[in-house]
Amino acid sequence: QVQLVESGGGPVQAGGSLRLSCAASGRTFSTTKMGWFRQASGTQREFVAAINWATFGTRYEDSVKGRFTISRDKAKNTVYLEMNSLKPEDTAVYYCAADTSSNSLYALRYDSWGQGTQVTVSA
């Protein structure tokens, strides 16, 4: 199992920026990909972005393309989500996830999840 701890959330005004971090520990050597998901109040959790742990390949949900950037520091076992030009509709709890079974960025099943960090964007 991989343990994940997110940080970096908080309140921000529309148009502002935040950087989320997710520190991984445990069986990180078996990680194939990591991703970010979000869940707004009253909605289902949705995919935001993912990164292949070996190839640096990335994938984004359409509404965040050009605004969000996922990256990773393999030495620190940390994945980041740089969020720019934030909009009120980006308000949600953001979750980090790690997978050890598939390196496909289109596969949405992940093995491990963090506890989430709240991002609130005010108009």
Side-chain angles (χ1 to χ4, degrees):
Q1 285 288 345
V2 177
Q3 291 77 47
L4 303 170
V5 179
E6 301 102 332
S7 60
V12 64
Q13 290 190 329
S17 300
L18 281 176
R19 188 175 82 156
L20 306 182
S21 299
C22 175
S25 61
R27 297 176 64 86
T28 57
F29 59 87
S30 57
T31 299
T32 55
K33 67 176 184 284
M34 292 187 71
W36 287 96
F37 291 73
R38 65 186 180 186
Q39 186 170 18
S41 179
T43 70
Q44 290 188 334
R45 187 167 58 193
E46 66 173 1
F47 169 80
V48 176
I51 186 165
N52 185 295
W53 208 241
T55 68
F56 292 87
T58 59
R59 178 191 167 217
Y60 297 92
E61 192 270 330
D62 286 347
S63 69
V64 307
K65 284 180 181 177
R67 300 189 299 123
F68 291 11
T69 302
I70 188 171
S71 62
R72 59 94 159 148
D73 185 328
K74 196 171 185 179
K76 295 182 179 179
N77 288 323
T78 299
V79 66
Y80 304 97
L81 186 67
E82 185 76 34
M83 305 186 295
N84 299 312
S85 302
L86 282 161
K87 305 174 181 180
E89 51 264 43
D90 294 317
T91 295
V93 177
Y94 283 71
Y95 296 91
C96 173
D99 192 28
T100 59
S101 60
S102 170
N103 58 12
S104 169
L105 299 182
Y106 290 88
L108 298 182
R109 188 188 71 83
Y110 284 72
D111 299 325
S112 304
W113 294 83
Q115 80 289 351
T117 185
Q118 176 71 48
V119 172
T120 303
V121 185
S122 58

